[in-house]
Amino acid sequence: MSEAARPNVYSIAAHRGFADALVAGLVPRYSDAELGLARLTLLLPSSRAMRTVQEALIRHYGAEGREGMLMPRMIAVGDLDLDEALGPLLDPLGAADIPPAVDPTYRWLRLAHLLRDELGKDAPSGAPLFRQAQELAQTMDRLLVEGIGPEELLSERVLDLVDDLSDHWKKSLRTFARMQVRWLAELDELERLDTASRRNRLFDHAAKHWRERPPQNPVVAAGVTSSSPSLARLLKVVSLLPEGAVVLPDFDLTMDGATWEELGGAGAEADAPFERGDAVTHPQYHLKLLLNRMGIAREEVQPWHRKGIGAAPPERSHAVSNLFLPPEASKAWVGLEARKRRLSGMRLMETANPEEEAQAIALLVREALDEPEKRVSVVTPDRSLARRIVHHLRRWNVEADDSAGQPLSQTPAGRLLLLVAEVLAENAAPVPLMALLQHPLVRMGEPRREWLRSARALERALRGPRPFPGLAPLADMAAEAGQGEWWSEVEAILAPLLAVGEDTDLADLLDVLASTGEALCGDALWSREDGRDLARFVEELRLQARRAPISLPVDDAHVVLRERMDMQAVRPPYGGHPRVAIYGLLESRMTRADLVICAGLNEGSWPATPTIDPVLAPPVLRRLGVPGADFRIGLAAHDLASLMGAPEVVLSRAQRDAAGPAIPSRFWLRTKALLGEKLARDHAETRAVELARALDKPAKAIRYEQPAPMPNAEQRKQDISVTALDRLRSDPYQFYASNILRLAQLDALDAEPTPAWLGIAAHAILEKWHKTGRPMGEIADEELAEMNAHPLMRALWQPRLMRALEWVEQTIGEYDDRKPTLFEAWGEMDVRGVTIEGKVDRIDTMEGGELAIVDYKTGGPPSGSQVEAGYALQLGTIGLMAQNGAFGSLTGTPLRFEYWSLAKSSKSPTGFGYVSSPVKDGRNRASMEPEEFLPKTEYFLHDALDKWILGSEPFTARENPDAKVYNTYDQLMRLEEWLGRET
């Protein structure tokens, strides 16, 4: 093959439609009457590109009226199994000297092991260790793709930089260099290569083979834009083959020389492949880099001679070229004619939020489908937005597949396996446990109904603070909920899982996780596409974990597995609407549709926020010749430029995202700046946004007034507890909801200990102490153990409680003039046919026979103003009950009324506990005399009975704004709809 031959390098402009234009040119050039395109070999960037070209061929032959064809041979140069595709083309024996590739999962596990050895006591453990191993692997691949060996890290160009690096980057560089040496030594022992390194060798082998013995059949590389040196060398050889060609997507042949030079050197100088001034974010930069590495001059690139079905006007490519001009060249916008600014067929759509954006896009898609044969593509890097669009399209019975898929960790099967790991990590904590037992895949089919009934009964029992870890406490709770037999089945499944040690072998752990998941779900775990992908994931990871044994803390297992699953996409099976496609950026390359909607054009999404390599400092990477973080912005720009060549284009963004106000993409801002204010208004897509807003716009809400329910006399006649009396006077609506409607608040799973829960514990401890006189600490341990209190909660709360209880014990012991007589006793009295009931915490008998009523509080007691206003009557009502003989044989006149708070106090010898009284007692600030307290309480009691229980007053919500009330029923009373405009 002569090196002097002119290279056959072509460019298909964006407006022509790459795949359709490619096919339109390949068929007349290479087609055979009998064999069709069977002699042709196409090198394409990915499997997705192969499908795109196949579809374009079908469209082309369909338009010509031909019924059958022989497809060309297509090879995806991006596939990891490249040797399987190239092998038959080359001499299989000739590539025998290239060792096989090491499995990427094996490498990840071995790097984690080597890293642990390398760093010793400084090595991270658990998830951070595996995360760092993955980062090392990714950095190694970045260098290998660029053909950079480990020896380059010791070259002068890198060593000259070391003194200028921070200590962190120096340490990271040393660790990386040593790890590479250790890993390469292990590869030599295994007689394996890294996948990226092997691909480079295969490319070089193919280039050498074809250079020396050019193939007899045509070879065309189409749509390949990767600028890796080895691939560039292969493309150069392909371009020089007698029947070879390289076809580039959307290479801008209209760009003038000055603008081309403004892009920068792009690897033209070997000593400084990437300079600071290079316009790496420009959509043409990576193509310039590819041409430089191929040794092809820009002038040697020829325009492709055909256009595809549904091509856009040529003016579109000129406008897109102007849109992405680099800084100096973009000054020409000032004098640019309006006709060169206009982007005919393009619209800009701006919505308020992602939900509205998805709804508007779904409407545009649905509208386009009314036109026969019109194809629509939605392209977005935002998978959350893509899922929203898919769901909105179902409103119109349009099934669209998101070809980018979703991470395995977010699929039902993947989520179930992670829940099993979380149950193990958190020792059967309520939240992961109930999520697992009620997962949609568990007991699918007929048994699920009864299973869910039992699981929900257990969930109700589990609501509240977290119980003691493990399965044993749950058995008692399940039995109390009437689900003992069902729980025995669950316990038999989960017992082997929770028997796993704190640090276990990864392969053994996967065995237990998979067997537990299968015991819960049966074949349903593996039967769908996500289950099949999960099975492959588990089997591959388990196989490599056997070959590269490594232990893993079970506490971090779910984190490690989730991060690994996030790297594996589960793509839906084909079968969606034939004219609708939803793509990610990678999947969209080379595709074409009549209407292309580019969605999610916000900074951080399109383009994505550049991420700095966590292993090697940016100056080191730049000096080595590795593209920096901003390089991917240029790729995202090229993706957008290619998509903007469609006949109809809609650019879409939302003003807000989940985090708050969103920053418009730089590409969006450039488009608006090129158009100018007037043209931007003309190009605005507002109709779809208005329809989206109107589609789900609810009817005007009726003004909701302050609730004031009026139950009938029979419903009002309720027995009243002393605590409910406080609610009745403070907020009648809360009494109505809790006592008449019988609506009780459900605690959350794994809830923080509420004051009520803490009060129950404190009262139970004090009751036993008063009655038995046993040591307070011993009783506390027993009570908290019976309550199955979680160790962490006990560790945080029990010391405070014990200090407060010590204060109670000391204070009672110091009394000479009073003696505790009654503890935690129930009593009741009848007032005008209404039963008033309550439980007294403690009653002390004074020397003269008078009574002291004591109410324990785990928090602060009610203020004097609350008591005087009649919003805190519990202490006084208990006093009335004692005065009327409600507590059996106890007699006497109540004269002292005290709140014993267990809260923090600087005056307490233990730091916790103090006494306060709502009536005058010594030097306190109360204004009410002790003798007035019970008559006033009785007045408030009768007032409440007259108004609400025996009367006809409405149970008005928040009738007393000054009263301190709970927010339990705020949503039921729709508080925020009327608060502030009460009548």
PDB file of all heavy atoms in Angstrom, residues 94-125:
ATOM      1  N   GLY A  94      -2.277 -15.035  13.598  1.00  0.00           N
ATOM      2  CA  GLY A  94      -1.345 -13.906  13.620  1.00  0.00           C
ATOM      3  C   GLY A  94      -1.494 -13.053  14.849  1.00  0.00           C
ATOM      4  O   GLY A  94      -0.584 -12.325  15.225  1.00  0.00           O
ATOM      5  N   ALA A  95      -2.657 -13.116  15.498  1.00  0.00           N
ATOM      6  CA  ALA A  95      -2.870 -12.329  16.709  1.00  0.00           C
ATOM      7  C   ALA A  95      -2.675 -13.163  17.959  1.00  0.00           C
ATOM      8  O   ALA A  95      -2.994 -12.724  19.055  1.00  0.00           O
ATOM      9  CB  ALA A  95      -4.283 -11.751  16.703  1.00  0.00           C
ATOM     10  N   ALA A  96      -2.121 -14.381  17.767  1.00  0.00           N
ATOM     11  CA  ALA A  96      -1.997 -15.270  18.915  1.00  0.00           C
ATOM     12  C   ALA A  96      -0.984 -14.776  19.933  1.00  0.00           C
ATOM     13  O   ALA A  96      -1.007 -15.198  21.085  1.00  0.00           O
ATOM     14  CB  ALA A  96      -1.620 -16.670  18.440  1.00  0.00           C
ATOM     15  N   ASP A  97      -0.063 -13.894  19.490  1.00  0.00           N
ATOM     16  CA  ASP A  97       0.942 -13.397  20.430  1.00  0.00           C
ATOM     17  C   ASP A  97       0.400 -12.292  21.333  1.00  0.00           C
ATOM     18  O   ASP A  97       1.122 -11.780  22.187  1.00  0.00           O
ATOM     19  CB  ASP A  97       2.168 -12.890  19.671  1.00  0.00           C
ATOM     20  CG  ASP A  97       1.802 -11.767  18.717  1.00  0.00           C
ATOM     21  OD1 ASP A  97       0.636 -11.738  18.272  1.00  0.00           O
ATOM     22  OD2 ASP A  97       2.674 -10.932  18.413  1.00  0.00           O
ATOM     23  N   ILE A  98      -0.864 -11.902  21.111  1.00  0.00           N
ATOM     24  CA  ILE A  98      -1.484 -10.886  21.968  1.00  0.00           C
ATOM     25  C   ILE A  98      -2.215 -11.607  23.092  1.00  0.00           C
ATOM     26  O   ILE A  98      -3.193 -12.312  22.840  1.00  0.00           O
ATOM     27  CB  ILE A  98      -2.465 -10.004  21.167  1.00  0.00           C
ATOM     28  CG1 ILE A  98      -1.748  -9.325  20.009  1.00  0.00           C
ATOM     29  CG2 ILE A  98      -3.111  -8.974  22.087  1.00  0.00           C
ATOM     30  CD1 ILE A  98      -2.649  -8.493  19.120  1.00  0.00           C
ATOM     31  N   PRO A  99      -1.765 -11.448  24.333  1.00  0.00           N
ATOM     32  CA  PRO A  99      -2.408 -12.165  25.444  1.00  0.00           C
ATOM     33  C   PRO A  99      -3.864 -11.762  25.600  1.00  0.00           C
ATOM     34  O   PRO A  99      -4.272 -10.662  25.181  1.00  0.00           O
ATOM     35  CB  PRO A  99      -1.578 -11.746  26.670  1.00  0.00           C
ATOM     36  CG  PRO A  99      -0.294 -11.230  26.114  1.00  0.00           C
ATOM     37  CD  PRO A  99      -0.618 -10.639  24.787  1.00  0.00           C
ATOM     38  N   PRO A 100      -4.679 -12.626  26.200  1.00  0.00           N
ATOM     39  CA  PRO A 100      -6.086 -12.265  26.445  1.00  0.00           C
ATOM     40  C   PRO A 100      -6.204 -11.152  27.483  1.00  0.00           C
ATOM     41  O   PRO A 100      -5.265 -10.881  28.231  1.00  0.00           O
ATOM     42  CB  PRO A 100      -6.705 -13.569  26.949  1.00  0.00           C
ATOM     43  CG  PRO A 100      -5.559 -14.367  27.466  1.00  0.00           C
ATOM     44  CD  PRO A 100      -4.363 -13.993  26.641  1.00  0.00           C
ATOM     45  N   ALA A 101      -7.382 -10.550  27.514  1.00  0.00           N
ATOM     46  CA  ALA A 101      -7.620  -9.441  28.447  1.00  0.00           C
ATOM     47  C   ALA A 101      -8.019  -9.971  29.816  1.00  0.00           C
ATOM     48  O   ALA A 101      -8.691 -10.999  29.936  1.00  0.00           O
ATOM     49  CB  ALA A 101      -8.706  -8.523  27.911  1.00  0.00           C
ATOM     50  N   VAL A 102      -7.593  -9.260  30.843  1.00  0.00           N
ATOM     51  CA  VAL A 102      -8.003  -9.599  32.199  1.00  0.00           C
ATOM     52  C   VAL A 102      -9.438  -9.111  32.411  1.00  0.00           C
ATOM     53  O   VAL A 102      -9.860  -8.099  31.821  1.00  0.00           O
ATOM     54  CB  VAL A 102      -7.048  -8.966  33.231  1.00  0.00           C
ATOM     55  CG1 VAL A 102      -7.243  -7.450  33.290  1.00  0.00           C
ATOM     56  CG2 VAL A 102      -7.229  -9.580  34.614  1.00  0.00           C
ATOM     57  N   ASP A 103     -10.174  -9.831  33.202  1.00  0.00           N
ATOM     58  CA  ASP A 103     -11.556  -9.429  33.470  1.00  0.00           C
ATOM     59  C   ASP A 103     -11.568  -8.132  34.295  1.00  0.00           C
ATOM     60  O   ASP A 103     -10.846  -8.020  35.293  1.00  0.00           O
ATOM     61  CB  ASP A 103     -12.286 -10.529  34.244  1.00  0.00           C
ATOM     62  CG  ASP A 103     -13.745 -10.207  34.435  1.00  0.00           C
ATOM     63  OD1 ASP A 103     -14.553 -10.558  33.571  1.00  0.00           O
ATOM     64  OD2 ASP A 103     -14.077  -9.585  35.466  1.00  0.00           O
ATOM     65  N   PRO A 104     -12.375  -7.126  33.896  1.00  0.00           N
ATOM     66  CA  PRO A 104     -12.399  -5.858  34.641  1.00  0.00           C
ATOM     67  C   PRO A 104     -12.809  -6.015  36.100  1.00  0.00           C
ATOM     68  O   PRO A 104     -12.306  -5.297  36.966  1.00  0.00           O
ATOM     69  CB  PRO A 104     -13.421  -5.006  33.878  1.00  0.00           C
ATOM     70  CG  PRO A 104     -13.481  -5.613  32.518  1.00  0.00           C
ATOM     71  CD  PRO A 104     -13.218  -7.078  32.695  1.00  0.00           C
ATOM     72  N   THR A 105     -13.724  -6.941  36.381  1.00  0.00           N
ATOM     73  CA  THR A 105     -14.150  -7.151  37.773  1.00  0.00           C
ATOM     74  C   THR A 105     -13.021  -7.757  38.593  1.00  0.00           C
ATOM     75  O   THR A 105     -12.799  -7.369  39.751  1.00  0.00           O
ATOM     76  CB  THR A 105     -15.391  -8.062  37.826  1.00  0.00           C
ATOM     77  OG1 THR A 105     -16.424  -7.497  37.029  1.00  0.00           O
ATOM     78  CG2 THR A 105     -15.885  -8.223  39.243  1.00  0.00           C
ATOM     79  N   TYR A 106     -12.296  -8.704  37.986  1.00  0.00           N
ATOM     80  CA  TYR A 106     -11.146  -9.291  38.677  1.00  0.00           C
ATOM     81  C   TYR A 106     -10.123  -8.194  38.985  1.00  0.00           C
ATOM     82  O   TYR A 106      -9.564  -8.150  40.086  1.00  0.00           O
ATOM     83  CB  TYR A 106     -10.533 -10.378  37.795  1.00  0.00           C
ATOM     84  CG  TYR A 106      -9.260 -10.973  38.354  1.00  0.00           C
ATOM     85  CD1 TYR A 106      -9.299 -12.040  39.238  1.00  0.00           C
ATOM     86  CD2 TYR A 106      -8.010 -10.451  38.002  1.00  0.00           C
ATOM     87  CE1 TYR A 106      -8.135 -12.586  39.762  1.00  0.00           C
ATOM     88  CE2 TYR A 106      -6.841 -10.982  38.522  1.00  0.00           C
ATOM     89  CZ  TYR A 106      -6.911 -12.043  39.403  1.00  0.00           C
ATOM     90  OH  TYR A 106      -5.754 -12.562  39.929  1.00  0.00           O
ATOM     91  N   ARG A 107      -9.885  -7.334  38.014  1.00  0.00           N
ATOM     92  CA  ARG A 107      -8.908  -6.256  38.230  1.00  0.00           C
ATOM     93  C   ARG A 107      -9.345  -5.359  39.381  1.00  0.00           C
ATOM     94  O   ARG A 107      -8.540  -4.981  40.229  1.00  0.00           O
ATOM     95  CB  ARG A 107      -8.743  -5.426  36.955  1.00  0.00           C
ATOM     96  CG  ARG A 107      -7.773  -4.268  37.136  1.00  0.00           C
ATOM     97  CD  ARG A 107      -7.569  -3.478  35.884  1.00  0.00           C
ATOM     98  NE  ARG A 107      -8.739  -2.735  35.468  1.00  0.00           N
ATOM     99  CZ  ARG A 107      -8.710  -1.730  34.593  1.00  0.00           C
ATOM    100  NH1 ARG A 107      -7.558  -1.368  34.046  1.00  0.00           N
ATOM    101  NH2 ARG A 107      -9.807  -1.112  34.250  1.00  0.00           N
ATOM    102  N   TRP A 108     -10.626  -5.027  39.433  1.00  0.00           N
ATOM    103  CA  TRP A 108     -11.138  -4.156  40.497  1.00  0.00           C
ATOM    104  C   TRP A 108     -10.904  -4.781  41.870  1.00  0.00           C
ATOM    105  O   TRP A 108     -10.423  -4.123  42.797  1.00  0.00           O
ATOM    106  CB  TRP A 108     -12.626  -3.919  40.238  1.00  0.00           C
ATOM    107  CG  TRP A 108     -13.384  -3.265  41.332  1.00  0.00           C
ATOM    108  CD1 TRP A 108     -13.111  -2.060  41.906  1.00  0.00           C
ATOM    109  CD2 TRP A 108     -14.555  -3.774  41.995  1.00  0.00           C
ATOM    110  NE1 TRP A 108     -14.040  -1.782  42.872  1.00  0.00           N
ATOM    111  CE2 TRP A 108     -14.938  -2.805  42.961  1.00  0.00           C
ATOM    112  CE3 TRP A 108     -15.308  -4.924  41.865  1.00  0.00           C
ATOM    113  CZ2 TRP A 108     -16.043  -2.987  43.781  1.00  0.00           C
ATOM    114  CZ3 TRP A 108     -16.414  -5.091  42.666  1.00  0.00           C
ATOM    115  CH2 TRP A 108     -16.771  -4.144  43.615  1.00  0.00           C
ATOM    116  N   LEU A 109     -11.208  -6.067  41.995  1.00  0.00           N
ATOM    117  CA  LEU A 109     -11.037  -6.739  43.283  1.00  0.00           C
ATOM    118  C   LEU A 109      -9.561  -6.865  43.652  1.00  0.00           C
ATOM    119  O   LEU A 109      -9.185  -6.678  44.822  1.00  0.00           O
ATOM    120  CB  LEU A 109     -11.688  -8.119  43.239  1.00  0.00           C
ATOM    121  CG  LEU A 109     -13.209  -8.135  43.025  1.00  0.00           C
ATOM    122  CD1 LEU A 109     -13.704  -9.575  42.887  1.00  0.00           C
ATOM    123  CD2 LEU A 109     -13.935  -7.432  44.160  1.00  0.00           C
ATOM    124  N   ARG A 110      -8.729  -7.189  42.664  1.00  0.00           N
ATOM    125  CA  ARG A 110      -7.304  -7.312  42.968  1.00  0.00           C
ATOM    126  C   ARG A 110      -6.693  -5.959  43.315  1.00  0.00           C
ATOM    127  O   ARG A 110      -5.835  -5.862  44.207  1.00  0.00           O
ATOM    128  CB  ARG A 110      -6.562  -7.916  41.774  1.00  0.00           C
ATOM    129  CG  ARG A 110      -6.761  -9.396  41.624  1.00  0.00           C
ATOM    130  CD  ARG A 110      -6.277 -10.166  42.849  1.00  0.00           C
ATOM    131  NE  ARG A 110      -4.848  -9.976  43.083  1.00  0.00           N
ATOM    132  CZ  ARG A 110      -4.251 -10.132  44.262  1.00  0.00           C
ATOM    133  NH1 ARG A 110      -4.965 -10.473  45.322  1.00  0.00           N
ATOM    134  NH2 ARG A 110      -2.949  -9.955  44.390  1.00  0.00           N
ATOM    135  N   LEU A 111      -7.105  -4.899  42.642  1.00  0.00           N
ATOM    136  CA  LEU A 111      -6.592  -3.569  42.982  1.00  0.00           C
ATOM    137  C   LEU A 111      -6.982  -3.181  44.401  1.00  0.00           C
ATOM    138  O   LEU A 111      -6.192  -2.550  45.110  1.00  0.00           O
ATOM    139  CB  LEU A 111      -7.114  -2.531  41.979  1.00  0.00           C
ATOM    140  CG  LEU A 111      -6.470  -2.544  40.588  1.00  0.00           C
ATOM    141  CD1 LEU A 111      -7.156  -1.532  39.676  1.00  0.00           C
ATOM    142  CD2 LEU A 111      -4.980  -2.259  40.663  1.00  0.00           C
ATOM    143  N   ALA A 112      -8.206  -3.552  44.816  1.00  0.00           N
ATOM    144  CA  ALA A 112      -8.607  -3.268  46.193  1.00  0.00           C
ATOM    145  C   ALA A 112      -7.699  -4.011  47.173  1.00  0.00           C
ATOM    146  O   ALA A 112      -7.278  -3.457  48.201  1.00  0.00           O
ATOM    147  CB  ALA A 112     -10.066  -3.672  46.400  1.00  0.00           C
ATOM    148  N   HIS A 113      -7.389  -5.264  46.848  1.00  0.00           N
ATOM    149  CA  HIS A 113      -6.512  -6.055  47.715  1.00  0.00           C
ATOM    150  C   HIS A 113      -5.104  -5.461  47.742  1.00  0.00           C
ATOM    151  O   HIS A 113      -4.486  -5.310  48.810  1.00  0.00           O
ATOM    152  CB  HIS A 113      -6.474  -7.498  47.212  1.00  0.00           C
ATOM    153  CG  HIS A 113      -5.698  -8.429  48.091  1.00  0.00           C
ATOM    154  ND1 HIS A 113      -6.244  -9.047  49.197  1.00  0.00           N
ATOM    155  CD2 HIS A 113      -4.400  -8.821  48.050  1.00  0.00           C
ATOM    156  CE1 HIS A 113      -5.327  -9.783  49.792  1.00  0.00           C
ATOM    157  NE2 HIS A 113      -4.193  -9.667  49.104  1.00  0.00           N
ATOM    158  N   LEU A 114      -4.573  -5.129  46.564  1.00  0.00           N
ATOM    159  CA  LEU A 114      -3.224  -4.554  46.487  1.00  0.00           C
ATOM    160  C   LEU A 114      -3.162  -3.200  47.188  1.00  0.00           C
ATOM    161  O   LEU A 114      -2.155  -2.863  47.825  1.00  0.00           O
ATOM    162  CB  LEU A 114      -2.796  -4.417  45.024  1.00  0.00           C
ATOM    163  CG  LEU A 114      -2.596  -5.726  44.252  1.00  0.00           C
ATOM    164  CD1 LEU A 114      -2.319  -5.437  42.778  1.00  0.00           C
ATOM    165  CD2 LEU A 114      -1.456  -6.538  44.859  1.00  0.00           C
ATOM    166  N   LEU A 115      -4.226  -2.422  47.049  1.00  0.00           N
ATOM    167  CA  LEU A 115      -4.256  -1.111  47.686  1.00  0.00           C
ATOM    168  C   LEU A 115      -4.246  -1.249  49.202  1.00  0.00           C
ATOM    169  O   LEU A 115      -3.580  -0.475  49.911  1.00  0.00           O
ATOM    170  CB  LEU A 115      -5.505  -0.353  47.229  1.00  0.00           C
ATOM    171  CG  LEU A 115      -5.619   1.115  47.645  1.00  0.00           C
ATOM    172  CD1 LEU A 115      -4.490   1.934  47.032  1.00  0.00           C
ATOM    173  CD2 LEU A 115      -6.964   1.678  47.213  1.00  0.00           C
ATOM    174  N   ARG A 116      -4.974  -2.220  49.714  1.00  0.00           N
ATOM    175  CA  ARG A 116      -4.974  -2.469  51.152  1.00  0.00           C
ATOM    176  C   ARG A 116      -3.561  -2.833  51.628  1.00  0.00           C
ATOM    177  O   ARG A 116      -3.101  -2.369  52.674  1.00  0.00           O
ATOM    178  CB  ARG A 116      -5.963  -3.584  51.469  1.00  0.00           C
ATOM    179  CG  ARG A 116      -6.108  -3.901  52.945  1.00  0.00           C
ATOM    180  CD  ARG A 116      -7.031  -5.098  53.142  1.00  0.00           C
ATOM    181  NE  ARG A 116      -8.420  -4.764  52.845  1.00  0.00           N
ATOM    182  CZ  ARG A 116      -9.388  -5.666  52.739  1.00  0.00           C
ATOM    183  NH1 ARG A 116      -9.104  -6.954  52.869  1.00  0.00           N
ATOM    184  NH2 ARG A 116     -10.634  -5.299  52.484  1.00  0.00           N
ATOM    185  N   ASP A 117      -2.856  -3.651  50.856  1.00  0.00           N
ATOM    186  CA  ASP A 117      -1.482  -4.016  51.218  1.00  0.00           C
ATOM    187  C   ASP A 117      -0.542  -2.825  51.103  1.00  0.00           C
ATOM    188  O   ASP A 117       0.349  -2.626  51.943  1.00  0.00           O
ATOM    189  CB  ASP A 117      -0.985  -5.146  50.310  1.00  0.00           C
ATOM    190  CG  ASP A 117      -1.670  -6.469  50.613  1.00  0.00           C
ATOM    191  OD1 ASP A 117      -2.323  -6.561  51.679  1.00  0.00           O
ATOM    192  OD2 ASP A 117      -1.568  -7.389  49.792  1.00  0.00           O
ATOM    193  N   GLU A 118      -0.737  -2.041  50.053  1.00  0.00           N
ATOM    194  CA  GLU A 118       0.170  -0.917  49.789  1.00  0.00           C
ATOM    195  C   GLU A 118       0.077   0.151  50.868  1.00  0.00           C
ATOM    196  O   GLU A 118       1.090   0.678  51.332  1.00  0.00           O
ATOM    197  CB  GLU A 118      -0.170  -0.317  48.417  1.00  0.00           C
ATOM    198  CG  GLU A 118       0.650   0.910  48.044  1.00  0.00           C
ATOM    199  CD  GLU A 118       2.113   0.585  47.811  1.00  0.00           C
ATOM    200  OE1 GLU A 118       2.426  -0.526  47.341  1.00  0.00           O
ATOM    201  OE2 GLU A 118       2.948   1.463  48.139  1.00  0.00           O
ATOM    202  N   LEU A 119      -1.130   0.487  51.275  1.00  0.00           N
ATOM    203  CA  LEU A 119      -1.315   1.578  52.231  1.00  0.00           C
ATOM    204  C   LEU A 119      -1.234   1.120  53.677  1.00  0.00           C
ATOM    205  O   LEU A 119      -1.097   1.947  54.583  1.00  0.00           O
ATOM    206  CB  LEU A 119      -2.655   2.273  51.973  1.00  0.00           C
ATOM    207  CG  LEU A 119      -2.804   2.935  50.601  1.00  0.00           C
ATOM    208  CD1 LEU A 119      -4.170   3.584  50.468  1.00  0.00           C
ATOM    209  CD2 LEU A 119      -1.714   3.973  50.368  1.00  0.00           C
ATOM    210  N   GLY A 120      -1.368  -0.170  53.922  1.00  0.00           N
ATOM    211  CA  GLY A 120      -1.251  -0.685  55.284  1.00  0.00           C
ATOM    212  C   GLY A 120      -2.297  -0.107  56.207  1.00  0.00           C
ATOM    213  O   GLY A 120      -3.489  -0.087  55.909  1.00  0.00           O
ATOM    214  N   LYS A 121      -1.837   0.423  57.347  1.00  0.00           N
ATOM    215  CA  LYS A 121      -2.782   0.955  58.335  1.00  0.00           C
ATOM    216  C   LYS A 121      -3.481   2.209  57.848  1.00  0.00           C
ATOM    217  O   LYS A 121      -4.509   2.616  58.403  1.00  0.00           O
ATOM    218  CB  LYS A 121      -2.055   1.241  59.649  1.00  0.00           C
ATOM    219  CG  LYS A 121      -0.939   2.250  59.557  1.00  0.00           C
ATOM    220  CD  LYS A 121      -0.251   2.440  60.902  1.00  0.00           C
ATOM    221  CE  LYS A 121       0.908   3.415  60.831  1.00  0.00           C
ATOM    222  NZ  LYS A 121       0.518   4.762  60.401  1.00  0.00           N
ATOM    223  N   ASP A 122      -2.929   2.874  56.809  1.00  0.00           N
ATOM    224  CA  ASP A 122      -3.574   4.071  56.257  1.00  0.00           C
ATOM    225  C   ASP A 122      -4.630   3.730  55.210  1.00  0.00           C
ATOM    226  O   ASP A 122      -5.277   4.648  54.676  1.00  0.00           O
ATOM    227  CB  ASP A 122      -2.524   4.991  55.628  1.00  0.00           C
ATOM    228  CG  ASP A 122      -1.558   5.550  56.662  1.00  0.00           C
ATOM    229  OD1 ASP A 122      -1.987   5.724  57.818  1.00  0.00           O
ATOM    230  OD2 ASP A 122      -0.386   5.789  56.319  1.00  0.00           O
ATOM    231  N   ALA A 123      -4.779   2.462  54.905  1.00  0.00           N
ATOM    232  CA  ALA A 123      -5.740   2.071  53.862  1.00  0.00           C
ATOM    233  C   ALA A 123      -7.167   2.266  54.354  1.00  0.00           C
ATOM    234  O   ALA A 123      -7.476   1.963  55.503  1.00  0.00           O
ATOM    235  CB  ALA A 123      -5.520   0.610  53.473  1.00  0.00           C
ATOM    236  N   PRO A 124      -8.044   2.775  53.498  1.00  0.00           N
ATOM    237  CA  PRO A 124      -9.457   2.855  53.892  1.00  0.00           C
ATOM    238  C   PRO A 124     -10.045   1.450  53.970  1.00  0.00           C
ATOM    239  O   PRO A 124      -9.462   0.487  53.465  1.00  0.00           O
ATOM    240  CB  PRO A 124     -10.095   3.655  52.747  1.00  0.00           C
ATOM    241  CG  PRO A 124      -9.202   3.411  51.574  1.00  0.00           C
ATOM    242  CD  PRO A 124      -7.819   3.244  52.124  1.00  0.00           C
ATOM    243  N   SER A 125     -11.167   1.328  54.608  1.00  0.00           N
ATOM    244  CA  SER A 125     -11.834   0.028  54.721  1.00  0.00           C
ATOM    245  C   SER A 125     -13.222   0.118  54.119  1.00  0.00           C
ATOM    246  O   SER A 125     -13.780   1.206  53.960  1.00  0.00           O
ATOM    247  CB  SER A 125     -11.923  -0.419  56.185  1.00  0.00           C
ATOM    248  OG  SER A 125     -12.728   0.489  56.918  1.00  0.00           O
TER     249      SER A 125
END
